[in-house]
Amino acid sequence: MTIVVWKLKSIVAATCLFVAATGMAAGQSALLDPLFERLKNVDAADAPALEAKIRQEWSKSGSAAADLLLSRAKIAIDAGDQKAAMGYLTALTDHAPEFAEGWNLSAVTLFNMGKIGPALAALERTLALEPRHFQALEGLVLIFDDAGLYQEAFEILRRIEAIHPHAEILSKARTRLEAKTLGQAL
């Protein structure tokens, strides 16, 4: 358990240091920057459409082969075939190791398979490539919460809020995490 806790905390530290040092995402996209800037200031009613645009941009690898692998992985996930999805995602991350969404979907699939350590490694890679990946950060919140690392989960929740103030997880997790950290220094 202590190795998992150390790994979780190192991911938070590395993500925060990277974002603070660069002030931007690795592989920063001219298309994504204005979308993320708008996401910070958009009305709650307009946030889902803007979030969908960001997710759509994340799913574009720039490679027809990688896009096909991502598409097949999503179909396998929707069919509940995590093993097949992981096969496609492994091929995807081998083919396009700088494609953050491949790593993020790998993390989700690994988490669903109960492989928390590999899921954390995939999340770490996702966030190294795109520190603003609020879905990857949401995954960290869930893993930290499950591990009883409530303060760390709350810290990541604050990071999500800075990126996406209307993220669905904020309303769902904030109250629960505030109750769990009540009386603890945040």
Side-chain angles (χ1 to χ4, degrees), residues 26 47 67 95 111 148 171:
D67 289 347
H95 174 76
F111 180 82
S171 61

Side-chain angles (χ1 to χ4, degrees), residues 68-154:
L68 178 63
L69 289 168
L70 183 68
S71 173
R72 296 257 172 102
K74 288 179 178 180
I75 290 168
I77 290 168
D78 289 344
D81 191 348
Q82 304 297 325
K83 187 176 178 181
M86 205 59 242
Y88 291 121
L89 292 165
T90 299
L92 173 59
T93 55
D94 286 347
H95 174 76
E98 301 304 312
F99 181 42
E101 191 58 22
W103 291 104
N104 182 59
L105 214 53
S106 293
V108 170
T109 303
L110 289 162
F111 180 82
N112 289 339
M113 295 171 78
K115 298 180 178 184
I116 304 304
L120 285 169
L123 286 173
E124 185 174 29
R125 181 74 174 159
T126 304
L127 293 167
L129 294 167
E130 176 54 87
R132 303 171 296 189
H133 203 299
F134 48 82
Q135 289 180 317
L137 291 167
E138 288 176 13
L140 281 179
V141 169
L142 296 174
I143 291 171
F144 282 22
D145 191 8
D146 284 349
L149 299 169
Y150 307 123
Q151 290 178 336
E152 291 81 355
F154 199 81

Side-chain angles (χ1 to χ4, degrees), residues 7-8 21 38 64 81 158 163 172:
K7 180 70 173 173
L8 291 170
R38 284 181 33 215
D81 191 348
R158 286 182 177 159
I163 296 166
K172 291 180 177 181

